Amino acid sequence: MKLVVQVKLLPTPVQAAALEATLHACNEAATWVSGVAFAKDVKRNFALREHTYAEVKQRWGLGAQAAQHTIKKTCDAYRTLAANAKAGNLGKPWSKRYRRATQKPIVFRPESAQPYDDRMLSWQIPERTISIWTLDGRVKGVAFIASPEQLARLALYRKGESDLIARDGMWFLQATCEIPEAEQNADPAGFLGIDLGIVNIATTSDGQIMAGRALNRGRLRERTLRTKLQRKNTPSAKRRLKKRRRKEARRAKDINHKIAKHVVAEAERTGRGIALEDLTGIRERVRLRKPQRATHSSWSFAQLGAFIAYKARKAGVPLVHVDPAYTSRTCAECGHVDKANRVSQAWFACRSCGFVDHADRNGSRNIRARAEELWRRGAQSTAPDPPPTPEGGTRRKRSATAGGACCASSPL
C-alpha cells in the first residue's frame, strides 16, 4: 500500500533561492514541452523525448534526470486530462469548460510540484537533512522537520519518487512509502453504517452523531469575510485574503481526518466492516436554490469517504459502498418507504408502524442493512487504492488543468 509522507524543509535563504530557481526552470521547461506535445500531438513519454529532450537540457540547463522527469510530468498531465474528459469531469464536449481545457496546451504554474528520484535527492534521516539537485549544483545539508512516526516511516518504507513543493513561501517534500497492509477481516461481525450529510457530517448506525454545525458556521464566517475583503480591494485587504486562503479547506480536512480515524478505529475495535453510501455524481443529480449552492458545493463528502477508505484498508477493515437511494425515506424497522416518513431534516417518523428516530440514524441503519445483505451475497470490500493525500494516499497524478499539480495536507 502506497502512502505519502510530507515533511517541511527549512532551507537557508541561499538554499531557498536555488530551489526556487530550479523549480521555476523545470516548470517553464514543462510548459514548453506541453506546447510541443500539443502541436505535434505526441503525448507519450518516450516519443516526446525525441522532440524535446535535447532542447530542454540545453535551453534550461537541466540535468538528464530532471529533463526526463519534466517530460514525464507533462505526459502525465495530458493523460490525466484525457481521463477527466472521458469521465465527464470537464462537462459536455461542446461546453465552454471542456473546450477551454482541451483546445490549448497545458500550462504549469512556476511553483508546480517537481518529481525527484534517488539520483537527484538523498535523505540523511538521522541528521534530518537532505541533499538535493538544483541548477546551482548539489545543495547539501537542507534541514527538514518531521514527527518521530514520519521519520520511522521514511527510514523503513520510503521507496520511489519524492515531490518538491513550494506553497505560500514554504517548502515541502512528499515522499512515497510502501506500507505493508494489514490482513483484511474476511468475516466481519456486521457493519457500521455511516450516513454522510451537511448538517451532520457523519452519523453512525450506533447512534453517534458527528455534527457539522461548527464547521458550517466557520465556512459561512470565512465566506462572508472573503466577500467583504474582495469588495474593499485595498492592499491590506489583499494581504488578509492571501493570509487566510486555504484556511477553510485545512479546517475541513482536519475534521474529516478526525472523523475517519474515529470511525475506522471503532469498526476495528468491534470487528465490524464499514458501510458507506455511494454518492458519486450527487452534485449533478441535485438541484438547489441559490442560497444553498455554496453550502452544498463546499460539502467534502468525497474527501471524507476517501480518508475512511484508505484508513480502513490500512487497518484491514472491509468497506462496502451501497446504493443510497431511498435510505432517508425507508423505515429501518418495518421497511416501509414513503416520502412523508421524513418529517424534517432531523426527524423520521414511519407512517406505517409509527417508529420514530433521528433521521440520519435511521438512514445509517438502512445503509448498514444493505451492506450486510451485499456481504452475504458475496460482495468484496470496495476499499480502493487510496487517492492522493500526503501520508495517506497513492502517488499523486499530475493535474490535468492549467497550473500543474495541486497539494494536500497531511492527515492525523
Side-chain angles (χ1 to χ4, degrees), residues 7 36 70 82 183 307 356 358 384 410:
V7 300
V36 174
T70 298
E183 184 177 355
F307 290 166
V356 177
H358 190 281
S410 62

Side-chain angles (χ1 to χ4, degrees), residues 34-101:
S34 173
V36 174
F38 185 84
K40 296 181 179 294
D41 196 24
V42 177
K43 296 165 185 173
R44 292 185 177 275
N45 187 18
F46 291 102
L48 188 56
R49 284 187 191 180
E50 297 179 3
H51 299 280
T52 58
Y53 178 73
E55 179 73 13
V56 167
K57 289 187 64 180
Q58 180 180 1
R59 185 171 171 184
W60 284 277
L62 302 187
Q65 291 301 112
Q68 292 180 21
H69 283 299
T70 298
I71 297 168
K72 183 177 182 295
K73 177 170 77 169
T74 305
C75 295
D76 289 345
Y78 275 108
R79 190 178 301 113
T80 305
L81 175 63
N84 282 331
K86 184 177 180 180
N89 297 335
L90 303 177
K92 301 296 183 181
W94 57 84
S95 68
K96 184 177 179 181
R97 180 186 178 196
Y98 185 97
R99 287 185 279 108
R100 187 169 59 243

Side-chain angles (χ1 to χ4, degrees), residues 198-199 201 211-221 251 255:
I198 297 175
V199 176
I201 300 178
R213 191 171 292 107
L215 177 61
N216 291 330
R217 281 202 301 263
R219 281 176 171 158
L220 178 60
R221 185 169 58 250
R251 182 187 293 116
I255 291 174

